[in-house]
Amino acid sequence: MKIHFTYIRVRYAETDQMGVVHHGNYAQYLEMARIDWLRELGISYKSMEENGIMLPVFEFYCKFKKPAAFDERLKVETRLRELPGVKIIFDYFIYNEKEELITTANTVLVFMDAITKRPIKCPQYILEKLKS
């Protein structure tokens, strides 16, 4: 499956009293990486929402191996685990500037109709882009 890299510079406000990235910021890092992954594929998250398709997070898992610190440049590798049905699953690998794996994560999102708030299958146009 397609792999994409997103680079993030850790901001001071994202660190805690110990000088490391607070765990709550990782959800935002993954979101940024996921949106970049979709954009690279030619899929606009904004356009999806404007067309009545929402993609809420259903599951979120994160394992911290090493801390990240202020002003570090992180590399977030985003991978699609499998072709989506109703759910779309992403795996993430976050590396520090020394190319050390510091965090692994995955998210499960669900395609949802914005009006009915019911799960729907992955739109065909997205499947076509994933298969090409």
Side-chain angles (χ1 to χ4, degrees), residues 2-53:
K2 182 173 174 15
I3 298 171
H4 180 72
F5 297 99
T6 299
Y7 295 89
I8 297 168
R9 177 76 58 185
V10 175
R11 297 174 297 184
Y12 184 78
E14 296 166 342
T15 61
D16 61 19
Q17 197 170 18
M18 296 177 287
V20 300
V21 173
H22 184 272
H23 67 277
N25 290 298
Y26 283 86
Q28 290 181 40
Y29 294 168
L30 303 183
E31 180 181 275
M32 290 165 52
R34 185 170 58 249
I35 289 172
D36 279 354
W37 186 94
L38 288 164
R39 185 180 298 116
E40 180 73 20
L41 198 63
I43 300 167
S44 164
Y45 202 93
K46 183 178 180 179
S47 176
M48 264 194 329
E49 289 185 343
E50 290 171 348
N51 290 305
I53 299 168

Side-chain angles (χ1 to χ4, degrees), residues 13 42 63 67 82-83 85-86 94 98 128:
K63 182 172 184 176
E82 58 196 28
L83 284 176
V86 171
I94 302 177
K98 297 175 186 173
E128 289 171 9

Side-chain angles (χ1 to χ4, degrees), residues 42-97:
I43 300 167
S44 164
Y45 202 93
K46 183 178 180 179
S47 176
M48 264 194 329
E49 289 185 343
E50 290 171 348
N51 290 305
I53 299 168
M54 306 302 282
L55 207 51
V57 174
F58 182 67
E59 293 179 21
F60 171 81
Y61 171 81
C62 210
K63 182 172 184 176
F64 305 104
K65 298 174 178 292
K66 289 187 171 193
F70 167 64
D71 206 35
E72 258 191 307
R73 185 171 185 246
L74 306 179
K75 178 172 78 172
V76 183
E77 178 181 334
T78 306
R79 297 181 183 195
L80 180 68
R81 186 178 292 180
E82 58 196 28
L83 284 176
V86 171
K87 296 177 184 176
I88 186 167
I89 304 170
F90 291 97
D91 292 314
Y92 310 88
F93 305 88
I94 302 177
Y95 301 89
N96 63 16
E97 292 176 341

